[in-house]
Amino acid sequence: MNFLSYFRVEVNRIFRSKITWFIIALSVLVPLGGYNLSGPVPPLTTASRFIANPVLIGALGGAILFALLTLFELNRVHKNLTAELTDTIVSPRILNIARLFGVIVSATVTVLVATIVHLPYTVLKMGDIFNLKIYLNSYFILMLPSLWISILAIAAFYQIIHRTDLSFVLFIVFFLLSTSRWFADDYILRWVNPLVPILSDDFSNAQVFRMASYNRLFWFSILIGIWLLSMLCVRRYGKGLLGSLIRNGRRIYIPLLSVTLIIGGYYMYVNQPYVDHSPLDWQNIDTSLNINEEFTKLALKDTSIDINFNTKRGTLSGTAIYHIQNENTVSPKCRLGINPGYTIKQITANGEEVAFSDLNNDTNNFKYVIFELPPEKDIELSIDYGGMHQIWSVVVSTFGGSHIGDNYIDLGGKDLAPILEIPSSEEGGQITGRFTIPENLNLIATGDTVKLLSENDDGTKTWLAHDTGSRLSIFAGDYVKLEIDGGNMPVEFYYSSKHQKVMEKMDAQNIMEHTIAYCTDHYGPLLFATPGYPFKIIQSSAFLFGGGAIKNCSFMGEIYFSDENLNNKQHGASSGEVLSHEIAHQWWGLSAQSMDMENLDWTDEGVTVYTTYRIAKEKFGAEYAQKNYVEVWKQEVKDQKNNFYNRHPEYLDILPEKYAARLYSSNTGTNMYSVMPLTIYKAAELVGGEERMDEILAELYQNGGTEMPPYITYNDFLEACGLRKEELILD
């Protein structure tokens, strides 16, 4: 019989075993545990809750179950004392390979069944935002390889040790290392639980699956190499480990192939392309440029960039042109900073090639390139560059930063183009960008409203963007544009087309216009909005855990628009009021920030919730606002005070850690979303009414407390109100 015949026999035998079907059934059911809200991924998006968590729990449980099945199958002939008989019929190495592949087939069938079984429920819960590609990638990139890797690992352990108990102990150690805090931020070493900070509902998850695929290739290279070495340890002719190793080692190609695969895995680890090598102690690194006389005689007049994107591979190829005024009579030295993942291909000055040195000194997600400019007065410097951006090592656990995916692009600063460290001219400088992206994406950029230049024959579109200064930031996705009447400030709201029905149903345009008008009239215009440009509010990917502002653009992570958040009663009484709450964060959270190290409960959320209450009161009346906000705050504060452990904190020490953490989280939420707005509400009663409170908040907002950018402390608030802390203690 040849190997295929043995393999066919083993597969048939394995699938006739009741134990195999018991393992398959358990493995198919294990993902059900992932629907619990306390899964490995924060359930901030629908895809995280109904795809990522079930799949990752399935990977954890399935890995252990199939490790047990592998041990059972490999040890079967030894347990039943039939090894001496079977070894005379077929080589034990061939038989072990056939059994291993049989178990791998059963694991593959298990994941196929799990994919089909859980599909209807997932589609039902996710509705219009369900994405079959994300669903299949999750099962076949995140879950299935975890089962295969566990099978390879425990097979290698068993063939070397030849004991089921010690082999399983080694496997558990291997399993626990993957889930330990030591490997928490190392996306390559986490074999059973790939690094998935979140899954996006609306935009690209390409970075998750690219890095997970690379992780799987690394582990297959390492473990297949180790497994091949373990094949030399398969016991033969009644010999022990050493005798079998000598006998099997005659096939020299096995150790050679094994060593090649292990070295290949090491090379993949050292040269992984997705995370930079910046030191983690970034606060203590000085990257400042030495200013000399030559530097002061340079001036950057304008910049233009032309970039083509390959969204399938996550790469870009671009040319940046800088017009520089040079008052030096010698060749001045210059430095540029760029994302460590990009390669500078060529630098020319006035058409002549310039020698440069790439320092490859990853620091704070920058690497630096030095070169000399010619001693000419007017210089056109052209830089050709390209590659795939790398994530800053400090934020790898959240995949923070830029993104180039199949249906989403988010780039800015040195992730978009080289930053030339030359001072801008007195006129301030201009930057223009031409971007060629897939035709299904719409482009947004800081500065002017972008213009569509051309629709190309290759399924792409070319867009033109313009801004002042020397840096540009862009977003691209399947965006819907909503023009908002912001009074003297034109507002453009961009959100994913997947939310179009929800936005239309809640009348998002009217809600946003009312919120913007209220906040502008009562507190003042946005502090970071750029005069002369439209103010752009942009829904960004879920991998942006929060929000931010760049020039005339404010971006908000998609978790703000998830079903869970839009139905969060702490933010507002309805989904429309939650949207109003999030827009109010443009004033409280981006323009002005409320924070106090002496009172950690004084946050942007408290002021924003109070603002949402005031907006709801103006729109729906005092009775509605009192019932849906003030009474809710009072009840939550009352429940918090009545909690046994809050009344008797001495018992917290004997409470199980997870329950104590849950209580702490609950108290934190209540303090932010109920205690602080109720405190402001009480202060309003003491200072003469809510209109007077609006005036006080406006003064704080416009004056910025004691620092710029504006940070408003609780003491600033008390001083503006003319109150003492004791007067605002809630009953």
Side-chain angles (χ1 to χ4, degrees):
M1 294 177 68
N2 57 29
F3 172 75
L4 289 179
S5 300
Y6 292 122
F7 171 63
R8 186 167 55 250
V9 169
E10 284 298 315
V11 169
N12 287 333
R13 184 189 57 76
I14 286 174
F15 277 98
R16 291 171 185 265
S17 169
K18 293 180 180 179
I19 292 178
T20 300
W21 286 106
F22 178 69
I23 294 293
I24 290 175
L26 284 180
S27 300
V28 170
L29 293 176
V30 164
L32 292 175
Y35 294 118
N36 188 302
L37 291 179
S38 60
V41 179
L44 302 175
T45 64
T46 309
S48 296
R49 182 176 180 183
F50 295 107
I51 297 180
N53 279 329
V55 165
L56 292 176
I57 291 296
L60 292 168
I64 294 175
L65 290 169
F66 274 90
L68 290 171
L69 180 62
T70 305
L71 271 183
F72 175 79
E73 289 297 331
L74 291 179
N75 190 54
R76 176 192 290 269
V77 293
H78 302 287
K79 180 182 178 181
N80 296 329
L81 303 178
T82 58
E84 289 78 5
L85 179 61
T86 57
D87 288 353
T88 62
I89 302 172
V90 58
S91 165
R93 286 187 291 105
I94 297 297
L95 204 54
N96 276 9
I97 295 173
R99 289 171 185 148
L100 180 76
F101 277 84
V103 177
I104 288 175
V105 168
S106 67
T108 306
V109 170
T110 299
V111 175
L112 281 170
V113 172
T115 304
I116 295 169
V117 167
H118 296 287
L119 179 62
Y121 180 73
T122 307
V123 173
L124 178 66
K125 299 300 291 186
M126 295 188 66
D128 292 340
I129 63 175
F130 173 78
N131 186 306
L132 183 61
K133 182 179 179 181
I134 295 174
Y135 182 80
L136 294 178
N137 279 343
S138 297
Y139 274 95
F140 292 102
I141 296 178
L142 302 182
M143 182 177 175
L144 179 58
S146 291
L147 275 57
W148 288 349
I149 292 170
S150 71
I151 293 168
L152 280 170
I154 203 160
F157 296 152
Y158 178 78
Q159 288 177 160
I160 294 171
I161 302 172
H162 210 58
R163 284 184 54 179
T164 56
D165 52 355
L166 291 181
S167 298
F168 191 67
V169 168
L170 276 178
F171 174 81
I172 291 300
V173 171
F174 182 48
F175 180 94
L176 292 177
L177 281 174
S178 179
T179 59
S180 70
R181 59 184 177 85
W182 294 291
F183 291 172
D185 293 336
D186 195 324
Y187 80 94
I188 297 185
L189 297 182
R190 293 173 54 157
W191 68 270
V192 72
N193 58 331
L195 182 56
V196 183
I198 200 168
L199 280 186
S200 171
D201 289 334
D202 300 333
F203 299 112
S204 175
N205 292 292
Q207 196 77 4
V208 171
F209 297 121
R210 286 179 192 140
M211 293 172 70
S213 297
Y214 193 86
N215 164 287
R216 277 40 185 118
L217 289 174
F218 163 78
W219 278 111
F220 285 139
S221 181
I222 293 291
L223 285 175
I224 291 175
I226 294 174
W227 176 78
L228 284 172
L229 279 180
S230 76
M231 290 296 294
L232 302 178
C233 302
V234 173
R235 308 305 191 263
R236 302 191 67 187
Y237 308 115
K239 299 180 181 292
L241 174 61
L242 183 60
S244 299
L245 187 62
I246 294 172
R247 178 78 181 183
N248 294 326
R250 295 175 182 176
R251 299 177 181 270
I252 192 65
Y253 65 87
I254 294 180
L256 286 177
L257 180 57
S258 171
V259 171
T260 300
L261 287 169
I262 293 173
I263 292 175
Y266 173 78
Y267 179 85
M268 289 180 67
Y269 184 82
V270 172
N271 297 282
Q272 60 79 28
Y274 296 107
V275 181
D276 76 0
H277 298 89
S278 296
L280 298 180
D281 59 338
W282 58 276
Q283 301 98 326
N284 301 318
I285 298 174
D286 182 14
T287 60
S288 58
L289 183 66
N290 292 325
I291 305 299
N292 53 38
E293 188 177 351
E294 295 176 3
F295 178 83
T296 61
K297 293 181 179 181
L298 294 172
L300 178 61
K301 295 191 292 186
D302 61 71
T303 304
S304 62
I305 53 179
D306 190 345
I307 301 177
N308 288 275
F309 291 93
N310 185 330
T311 55
K312 299 297 182 185
R313 299 181 60 185
T315 61
L316 62 78
S317 177
T319 299
I321 298 176
Y322 309 85
H323 289 103
I324 302 167
Q325 185 176 342
N326 177 23
E327 300 296 337
N328 291 285
T329 57
V330 297
S331 298
K333 291 184 178 180
C334 289
R335 186 175 79 168
L336 65 84
I338 196 169
N339 185 286
Y342 296 149
T343 300
I344 301 296
K345 301 174 182 177
Q346 185 182 54
I347 300 178
T348 62
N350 292 338
E352 297 294 327
E353 190 166 346
V354 174
F356 62 91
S357 177
D358 187 336
L359 302 181
N360 284 313
N361 57 338
D362 298 8
T363 307
N364 299 352
N365 206 218
F366 276 84
K367 73 172 180 179
Y368 294 97
V369 175
I370 56 175
F371 58 94
E372 290 186 355
L373 290 173
E376 301 174 20
K377 184 174 182 180
D378 294 307
I379 301 172
E380 182 179 275
L381 185 73
S382 178
I383 301 176
D384 295 330
Y385 64 100
M388 179 171 57
H389 75 278
Q390 291 184 343
I391 299 171
W392 188 15
S393 59
V394 174
V395 297
V396 64
S397 61
T398 62
F399 289 6
S402 302
H403 193 96
I404 303 176
D406 48 359
N407 64 350
Y408 182 70
I409 299 171
D410 173 2
L411 294 172
K414 45 77 179 167
D415 297 333
L416 187 66
I419 295 177
L420 201 58
E421 296 187 336
I422 291 177
S424 296
S425 63
E426 293 181 359
E427 293 78 14
Q430 305 283 323
I431 183 168
T432 303
R434 288 168 54 97
F435 305 101
T436 301
I437 60 177
E439 61 185 355
N440 62 308
L441 305 183
N442 295 318
L443 188 79
I444 312 165
T446 52
D448 296 331
T449 300
V450 298
K451 299 177 182 178
L452 178 62
L453 291 181
S454 63
E455 299 185 14
N456 309 315
D457 295 334
D458 59 354
T460 62
K461 290 180 180 179
T462 301
W463 300 77
L464 180 69
H466 173 264
D467 197 2
T468 58
S470 59
R471 302 186 188 187
L472 196 65
S473 293
I474 66 169
F475 296 85
D478 61 339
Y479 283 111
V480 175
K481 177 182 177 182
L482 193 62
E483 294 187 352
I484 306 295
D485 181 6
N488 296 327
M489 178 182 62
V491 178
E492 298 171 356
F493 177 43
Y494 297 88
Y495 63 91
S496 168
S497 61
K498 292 184 178 181
H499 277 86
Q500 189 164 8
K501 291 181 180 179
V502 175
M503 294 296 180
E504 291 174 352
K505 184 177 180 180
M506 73 168 69
D507 193 12
Q509 181 167 355
N510 182 50
I511 291 170
M512 295 183 70
E513 287 178 353
H514 182 255
T515 303
I516 292 169
Y518 180 91
C519 292
T520 303
D521 293 343
H522 287 75
Y523 309 128
L526 286 168
L527 301 180
F528 60 83
T530 307
Y533 288 115
F535 173 52
K536 304 173 186 180
I537 302 175
I538 305 164
Q539 178 191 357
S540 60
S541 169
F543 295 97
L544 177 69
F545 289 85
I550 304 174
K551 296 185 178 180
N552 62 319
C553 290
S554 169
F555 44 93
M556 305 164 62
E558 71 180 80
I559 59 175
Y560 290 115
F561 304 93
S562 67
D563 290 342
E564 287 81 1
N565 188 61
L566 290 176
N567 291 297
N568 188 335
K569 299 302 182 182
Q570 288 184 312
H571 291 186
S574 67
S575 59
E577 287 161 68
V578 173
L579 178 60
S580 181
H581 172 100
E582 305 305 350
I583 299 304
H585 266 304
Q586 307 299 313
W587 278 260
W588 305 113
L590 290 179
S591 272
Q593 298 180 18
S594 301
M595 61 191 312
D596 194 329
M597 297 308 296
E598 296 180 1
N599 184 350
L600 298 180
D601 298 326
W602 174 255
T603 68
D604 304 319
E605 291 296 346
V607 187
T608 306
V609 171
Y610 178 80
T611 299
T612 309
Y613 152 74
R614 292 285 291 131
I615 294 171
K617 184 176 181 179
E618 180 179 87
K619 189 170 185 178
F620 301 113
E623 183 179 349
Y624 176 90
Q626 185 74 17
K627 176 183 177 182
N628 290 283
Y629 289 88
V630 179
E631 295 303 325
V632 172
W633 301 337
K634 290 180 177 179
Q635 185 61 48
E636 291 194 355
V637 171
K638 180 180 178 181
D639 292 343
Q640 183 185 52
K641 289 188 174 183
N642 288 339
N643 182 280
F644 174 82
Y645 292 102
N646 288 329
R647 288 186 289 111
H648 300 281
E650 63 273 15
Y651 288 100
L652 277 174
D653 293 337
I654 61 174
L655 196 65
E657 185 177 345
K658 68 175 183 178
Y659 293 111
R662 188 177 300 173
L663 177 63
Y664 174 79
S665 177
S666 175
N667 286 339
T668 300
T670 300
N671 291 339
M672 285 196 301
Y673 295 106
S674 295
V675 173
M676 289 318 299
L678 192 58
T679 300
I680 299 172
Y681 177 82
K682 183 174 182 178
E685 293 178 335
L686 296 175
V687 298
E690 293 173 350
E691 289 74 15
R692 174 56 187 150
M693 178 54 66
D694 286 344
E695 294 173 1
I696 292 172
L697 291 175
E699 292 171 7
L700 289 169
Y701 173 80
Q702 294 171 22
N703 295 331
T706 57
E707 298 181 30
M708 289 296 291
Y711 289 102
I712 303 170
T713 68
Y714 189 43
N715 285 332
D716 292 330
F717 174 73
L718 291 172
E719 184 178 343
C721 294
L723 299 172
R724 293 175 290 107
K725 292 181 180 180
E726 294 77 14
E727 297 178 83
L728 294 182
I729 295 176
L730 301 179
D731 298 330

